[in-house]
Amino acid sequence: MKIYKLFISLIMVLSLCGCTSKSVTTQEMTQSDSPEKGDLTVIGFSQLGAESDWRSSNTQSMKTTFTEENGYRLIFEDGQQKQANQIMAIRKFIQQEVDYIVLAPVTETGWDTVLREAKDANIPVIIVDRMVDVKDDSLYECWIGSDFKLEGMKMCQWLNDYCKKKGIRGSDLRIVDLQGNIGATAQIGRTRGLSESARKFGWKVLEYVPADFTQTKGREVMKTLLRKYDDINVVYCENDNEALGAIEAIEEAGKVAGPNIRAGEIMVLSFDGINEDARQYVIDNKISCIAECNPLHGPRVKGIIEKLEKGQEPPKLSYVGEDIYAHDKAVESIRVDSIEYPITVLQTK
Ligand code: GZL
């Protein structure tokens, strides 16, 4: 039985004691703890899908962390990009009386009702990666993930500083944004990072187009954009899988993915840094810059659960630190909101 649930049950029992003389045995307080669970802490994990390398790494991190050897039983449900599936999974976890629910939400809105059901069942909920937009933030214990807008601001600061070093005028940039799933926190933040930077640096963004964080959609969207515009010189891909697709489309159109905008190349920018091909493309200078988005949340979630088990209060929001990878040494570091971020240069050894 988990300390957290025992603690809550004790509070509930004590609050009832005022109206009944019935004494509550320890056995009754732990009645909700089904014997078959044994000593394992049971985690119900609702993952949003398997759309990208980032997502696969995130899933793997959770599965290799929450093992029986580590004292956990993980019940994994893949939402296949549908919020309805994730809501169903959470309701299943409630029926199964899991000890904790971990949710990687496909989109920010639409969670209030089901998270209220989890709270009413005294099952603590931890949100990972993307955020939920709920009226009452007591519906989840805490969230851990990335600062997606900062990722976008860092990427755009790098682009601004790179152009300055190379004598490229910001007003000459013609940018297209291959967005992630619309409504996902990662998409909202990265798109906002670009739109605010474009205003600040005087860039022209030709179009913002959803590309679903997938390689197939990235290629399809980039093909359409290349037919529509003949002056694209920067493509801002909101994850690596889209960047791989965009590069396929660029090369199929007989153009070159590279940093030399003045020579007619199309500069490719990306996020995540998990996909091996994407990192190799930085080394090969096909992708000019990747803003890291770290997927390894398993150990971080375990740390949160260990705190909750001890009756401690982890921070409500925890942001993970992330790197920036670039091919060119021209920009050694960038400053965003007066904080300095070093650039990690990826080149052939
Ligand atoms: C970011 C995550 C995004 C990744 C994509 O934390 O939500 O979703 O950047 C993934 O690769 O599909």
Side-chain angles (χ1 to χ4, degrees), residues 47-56 58 81 104-106 128-131 143-148 151 180-181 184-187 190 212-214 238-242 271-274 291-295 297 322:
Q47 177 58 288
L48 64 90
E51 76 286 355
S52 65
D53 296 82
W54 189 98
R55 190 63 50 198
S56 308
N58 180 248
Q81 307 296 324
V106 64
V128 290
D129 180 24
R130 303 174 188 178
M131 181 51 96
W143 166 87
I144 183 152
S146 303
D147 183 336
F148 301 109
E151 289 175 354
N181 301 90
T185 316
Q187 175 273 312
R190 291 169 188 165
D212 296 352
F213 287 133
T214 66
E238 295 190 2
N239 86 328
D240 291 340
N241 299 80
E242 292 178 355
F271 293 82
D272 287 349
I274 302 302
E292 182 198 13
C293 181
N294 189 296
H297 292 324
E322 296 172 331

Side-chain angles (χ1 to χ4, degrees), residues 2-5 7-8 100 141 303-314:
K2 309 310 140 218
I3 304 288
Y4 183 89
K5 284 179 77 172
F7 178 67
I8 293 290
Y100 292 88
E141 290 309 309
I304 287 170
I305 288 173
E306 287 167 348
K307 283 194 170 71
L308 291 172
E309 283 291 282
K310 291 176 195 153
Q312 295 169 0
E313 255 190 62

Side-chain angles (χ1 to χ4, degrees), residues 132-315:
V132 293
D133 177 8
V134 290
K135 291 183 185 59
D136 173 4
D137 73 359
S138 73
L139 294 180
Y140 61 92
E141 290 309 309
C142 43
W143 166 87
I144 183 152
S146 303
D147 183 336
F148 301 109
K149 185 182 166 193
L150 176 62
E151 289 175 354
M153 301 301 279
K154 284 156 71 176
M155 174 64 82
C156 292
Q157 190 62 51
W158 177 87
L159 177 58
N160 175 67
D161 296 359
Y162 178 83
C163 288
K164 280 216 171 80
K165 292 267 182 167
K166 301 292 181 180
I168 299 167
R169 288 180 310 185
S171 55
D172 289 343
L173 296 184
R174 295 290 179 276
I175 303 170
V176 289
D177 178 0
L178 272 51
Q179 298 176 292
N181 301 90
I182 298 302
T185 316
Q187 175 273 312
I188 295 167
R190 291 169 188 165
T191 297
R192 197 168 290 157
L194 174 60
S195 59
E196 289 186 11
S197 301
R199 268 195 304 280
K200 178 179 169 187
F201 298 126
W203 299 340
K204 172 81 177 147
V205 180
L206 296 168
E207 200 162 337
Y208 296 85
V209 188
D212 296 352
F213 287 133
T214 66
Q215 182 164 344
T216 308
K217 194 73 177 167
R219 177 172 171 270
E220 181 193 307
V221 164
M222 193 62 195
K223 272 178 82 170
T224 306
L225 289 167
L226 286 167
R227 283 196 210 106
K228 190 171 174 182
Y229 302 98
D230 60 5
D231 57 349
I232 297 169
N233 52 27
V234 177
V235 52
Y236 179 95
C237 304
E238 295 190 2
N239 86 328
D240 291 340
N241 299 80
E242 292 178 355
L244 298 181
I247 290 169
E248 283 177 322
I250 289 167
E251 292 177 344
E252 283 163 9
K255 293 178 178 267
V256 175
N260 194 346
I261 288 173
R262 282 209 290 248
E265 293 180 357
I266 297 180
M267 178 186 277
V268 178
L269 307 173
S270 183
F271 293 82
D272 287 349
I274 302 302
N275 180 290
E276 275 311 310
D277 292 341
R279 291 169 68 96
Q280 185 57 46
Y281 276 172
V282 175
I283 295 167
D284 302 343
N285 214 1
K286 274 191 181 180
I287 293 179
S288 298
C289 185
I290 294 181
E292 182 198 13
C293 181
N294 189 296
L296 307 179
H297 292 324
R300 299 170 182 136
V301 174
K302 180 170 174 284
I304 287 170
I305 288 173
E306 287 167 348
K307 283 194 170 71
L308 291 172
E309 283 291 282
K310 291 176 195 153
Q312 295 169 0
E313 255 190 62

